[in-house]
Amino acid sequence: MGKKNSHILPLVIIGAGLIVLGLVAIGIIANAGNVSSDYSVTPATVNFPAPELTLNNMIGERVSITDYKQQIVLINNWATWCPPCKAEMPTLLKYYQEHVDEGFTLVGINAGDPADEVAKFVGDYKLTFPILLDPNNKSMIVFHNENLPSSYLIDRDGNVVLAWTGPINNAMLEKYVTPLLGQ
């Protein structure tokens, strides 16, 4: 009788662990659409030349990151289906509109969605900053980051100086981007 019970205990422990993991996964999935725009990651300080990247904008014109020389540029990789991308868009738009006259440009690079879905998203969110289409995820490749959203701040000398993996809130933009606008 003791041997039979000793085989059951490890199975009960493993089963209980799997149930807990399942409940945690369900909670994460259930809350995926409820990402708060107040949440933000802190950027990593980096220092490398902005990569060569040329993509089409919404009307089919070729646009290169280097077209924005002498400006502070925030590159934002996003997708229409990404909950944290959706959550940060109103904040990014507001910051862009408040600082565009100070030499700040926000370039949204869509990661592989069909052009019609991107156009609908841009209309729904009333985005006014440049949007580039990236059907082959070149931006995520040249920045070596497959996570969404991901953002990169390029200084006036063409160097990437900050990198975010995850959503950005206004406090982070004010703390890290605004001081560079006065330089």
Side-chain angles (χ1 to χ4, degrees):
M1 179 123 172
K3 286 186 177 183
K4 287 182 182 178
N5 287 340
S6 67
H7 287 68
I8 293 174
L9 184 59
L11 293 175
V12 169
I13 292 171
I14 291 171
L18 290 173
I19 289 170
V20 169
L21 286 175
L23 292 173
V24 168
I26 289 170
I28 290 171
I29 291 168
N31 287 319
N34 299 326
V35 177
S36 169
S37 61
D38 291 337
Y39 173 76
S40 182
V41 294
T42 301
T45 301
V46 296
N47 187 12
F48 59 91
E52 291 290 325
L53 182 64
T54 301
L55 299 165
N56 288 339
N57 65 14
M58 297 291 294
I59 58 172
E61 298 170 331
R62 302 290 287 164
V63 177
S64 175
I65 290 176
T66 59
D67 294 344
Y68 299 101
K69 286 185 178 181
Q70 301 303 314
Q71 296 184 41
I72 301 294
V73 181
L74 182 66
I75 301 293
N76 177 255
N77 291 316
W78 62 279
T80 60
W81 50 263
C82 166
C85 300
K86 292 176 183 179
E88 75 177 354
M89 277 301 160
T91 299
L92 293 176
L93 176 60
K94 184 175 186 260
Y95 189 85
Y96 169 74
Q97 290 172 335
E98 290 172 354
H99 297 282
V100 67
D101 293 334
E102 299 170 54
F104 174 74
T105 298
L106 171 60
V107 178
I109 300 179
N110 177 267
D113 291 319
D116 61 329
E117 289 180 24
V118 176
K120 181 177 179 348
F121 186 96
V122 167
D124 289 348
Y125 283 82
K126 298 176 178 46
L127 302 180
T128 57
F129 51 84
I131 300 293
L132 304 181
L133 301 174
D134 190 5
N136 298 313
N137 296 321
K138 289 180 182 178
S139 182
M140 294 183 356
I141 293 167
V142 299
F143 282 106
H144 306 289
N145 189 347
E146 297 179 7
N147 297 297
L148 294 174
S150 59
S151 299
Y152 304 91
L153 190 68
I154 302 171
D155 68 12
R156 295 184 198 280
D157 295 324
N159 295 308
V160 180
V161 295
L162 294 172
W164 284 265
T165 299
I168 305 172
N169 69 17
N170 192 61
M172 289 295 128
L173 292 167
E174 291 294 344
K175 181 176 180 179
Y176 292 99
V177 179
T178 302
L180 294 177
L181 296 176
Q183 297 179 350

